[in-house]
Amino acid sequence: MTTNPSEAGVHVPHPADAELFRLFSPEGQRDPFPSYARLRALAPVHVSEALGGAFVTGYDAACAVLSGEKFGTVGAEWFDKNQPGWRDSPLLVSVFSSLAGANSPDHTRLRRLVARAFNVRQIEQVRPYTAQLTDQALDAMAERADSGGVPDVPSQLALPVTMGTIARLVGVPPEDLGPFDGWIRKASVVFEVSVPPEVLAEADAAYTHVLDYFTQLVAERRKSPGDDLLSALIAVRDADGDRLGAQELVDLLAFIFGSGFETTAGLIGNTVVTLASHPDQMAALRTVLATSPDKLSPVIDELGRYDGSVQATRRMALEDVEVGGVRIPAGTATIVFLGAANRDPARFADPDRLDLHRADARPLNMGLGVHYCLGAALARLEMEEVLRRLYGRHPRLSLADTPVRTPGLQLYRYESIPVVLN
């Protein structure tokens, strides 16, 4: 009789582990969707001994984790137990001491301080400025094309629009924006599952510039307040230091500013590539723009579902919890693959097909529950203005060459997208 290896005390790796290793490889990150499908089929919820965490690919399971009270963010408590020496990293300490790593009651306190600046009514006030930035960016792209150059979507459109808009809201002068793209791009590795020490060192150096900048800007704006989030938070800090500490203020501003443009810029780039490879859906977009340009919300939902710029997010089990019939022990870091959940055939018919007429998409790329993306309304507004103006001017825009992906999976975007302005 053949002995069962598990009965003999020999650990048998789960097939999902091999798929996860494949997913985290450079090749897997370039196109994660085949691995997502195989992982969902093997185990929509998988607790991996080999990787020391739980991994979620099913839509219902993802919703349970993201909205469940038994899960919180991965923050200082988890790092103290699992990553000794993490407090030597200025980037890790700053980001995970802010909204990204806060749970109740700190999360509620911090989010409440900034939520007013990101409600729909306040966001609408910045729409004319976003439209102006978009038109200026498109003019610059046209000038490059007219002079024989090749326009590039990330550097000439996506980043100028999104960075400029969040700068206006936060209170960062436009003339100061030059180095921020490089700094934030290096720092964005903070959310990846695994970061080599040398990469983290570069990210720390870059984010130190960001923190130094906001420390100085706080001092300057305290003397000359304006009508922006920065001035409002300084007023809170000066009136009641118990509500917002001095370093908390800097960390919060740096996090909001950085996260306020990188993900939406990535979605704009993903959208351009997606539509260029789906001419039937490009035609569907032209129809929407011609007949009901004020009803782009379902289009944006479907574009985010199909190829969102945020492919994964982390949570931690606050206590033993069962999700999808699988027990996740307390303290387990849990990776929710949003991109996988957004293509779950149990939730979406024909999930690998882009369909701009899809009804009730409800993708998870903006999150869910109390940690739902604070800037969701802003991202939607920016997407609306870019879609209307880019494809209003260039309804048959196409790729001039193969786009270049930025390494990484959690933030899933392109480094370069050369285009022809048809």
Side-chain angles (χ1 to χ4, degrees):
M1 183 177 70
T2 303
T3 302
N4 186 322
S6 61
E7 292 176 356
V10 178
H11 174 66
V12 180
H14 194 286
D17 287 337
E19 197 59 56
L20 283 165
F21 281 113
R22 184 180 296 112
L23 174 61
F24 291 129
S25 71
E27 295 77 14
Q29 291 181 6
R30 279 194 287 270
D31 182 13
F33 298 103
S35 283
Y36 289 160
R38 289 189 288 266
L39 282 167
R40 273 196 314 268
L42 288 166
V45 180
H46 174 55
V47 178
S48 171
E49 293 183 23
L51 288 168
F55 300 86
V56 177
T57 49
Y59 184 90
D60 288 343
C63 291
V65 172
L66 295 175
S67 61
E69 294 181 356
K70 295 183 179 180
F71 286 90
T73 59
V74 172
E77 178 184 354
W78 184 89
F79 280 99
D80 284 338
K81 291 180 179 178
N82 296 279
Q83 193 166 322
W86 76 280
R87 292 184 182 273
D88 294 332
S89 164
L91 172 60
L92 292 176
V93 170
S94 178
V95 170
F96 292 105
S97 296
S98 193
L99 276 173
N103 291 306
S104 184
D106 284 338
H107 177 267
T108 303
R109 172 178 58 87
L110 292 172
R111 189 175 177 109
R112 188 173 292 156
L113 288 172
V114 298
R116 183 176 178 274
F118 288 92
N119 65 39
V120 175
R121 185 170 62 181
Q122 292 294 114
I123 291 299
E124 278 299 319
Q125 295 181 10
V126 82
R127 186 183 290 275
Y129 185 66
T130 303
Q132 176 187 338
L133 289 174
T134 307
D135 285 336
Q136 290 173 348
L138 293 174
D139 289 344
M141 292 175 74
E143 289 177 9
R144 177 178 288 187
D146 290 342
S147 64
V150 180
D152 177 64
V153 171
S155 63
Q156 284 199 280
L157 176 63
L159 284 167
V161 171
T162 58
M163 193 189 300
T165 300
I166 191 66
R168 170 63 70 93
L169 279 171
V170 170
V172 176
E175 60 270 20
D176 292 352
L177 294 179
F180 271 101
D181 175 37
W183 292 340
I184 297 299
R185 286 214 163 207
K186 288 182 178 179
S188 66
V189 300
V190 70
F191 295 111
E192 297 295 337
V193 173
S194 178
V195 182
E198 65 275 12
V199 175
L200 180 59
E202 290 183 5
D204 278 329
Y207 207 65
T208 298
H209 289 300
V210 177
L211 296 174
D212 288 346
Y213 174 84
F214 278 104
T215 299
Q216 181 178 344
L217 188 60
V218 166
E220 293 174 359
R221 196 56 52 82
R222 180 171 275 116
K223 299 174 184 176
S224 302
D227 183 18
D228 49 50
L229 177 62
L230 171 57
S231 299
L233 290 177
I234 290 172
V236 170
R237 161 66 189 157
D238 290 350
D240 185 359
D242 290 338
R243 292 179 64 197
L244 187 64
Q247 189 57 47
E248 272 189 324
L249 170 60
V250 172
D251 292 338
L252 188 59
L253 289 166
F255 175 74
I256 288 173
F257 180 72
S259 60
F261 70 83
E262 186 71 13
T263 56
T264 310
L267 181 56
I268 291 170
N270 291 1
T271 291
V272 168
V273 176
T274 294
L275 290 174
S277 59
H278 292 79
D280 61 324
Q281 296 306 300
M282 181 87 82
L285 175 61
R286 290 196 295 269
T287 299
V288 173
L289 292 174
T291 60
S292 49
D294 58 333
K295 296 181 179 178
L296 283 170
S297 186
V299 169
I300 294 169
D301 283 343
E302 175 65 357
L303 290 166
R305 182 200 71 82
Y306 185 82
D307 197 12
S309 59
V310 180
Q311 288 288 308
T313 189
R314 285 186 284 189
R315 295 290 186 269
M316 181 182 73
L318 301 176
E319 57 185 88
D320 291 353
V321 58
E322 186 173 294
V323 177
V326 177
R327 177 181 173 274
I328 300 178
T332 301
T334 302
I335 307 298
V336 180
F337 289 113
L338 305 172
N342 283 340
R343 294 205 191 185
D344 187 346
R347 171 62 179 81
F348 302 101
D350 200 3
D352 292 324
R353 180 173 63 91
L354 179 69
D355 180 6
L356 298 189
H357 295 300
R358 190 184 295 272
D360 191 30
R362 288 193 294 170
L364 298 179
N365 50 298
M366 293 289 183
L368 197 66
V370 296
H371 293 282
Y372 182 75
C373 177
L374 184 66
L378 177 61
R380 192 172 293 276
L381 181 150
E382 291 166 339
M383 283 292 294
E384 288 173 354
E385 292 303 318
V386 168
L387 287 174
R388 288 170 184 157
R389 294 168 187 278
L390 174 60
Y391 292 101
R393 286 200 196 189
H394 310 290
R396 289 174 175 78
L397 181 141
S398 60
L399 300 179
D401 203 344
T402 303
V404 177
R405 277 275 184 201
T406 303
L409 181 61
Q410 198 275 347
L411 289 178
Y412 191 63
R413 62 213 193 279
Y414 288 93
E415 189 76 27
S416 173
I417 306 172
V419 293
V420 177
L421 302 177
N422 297 323

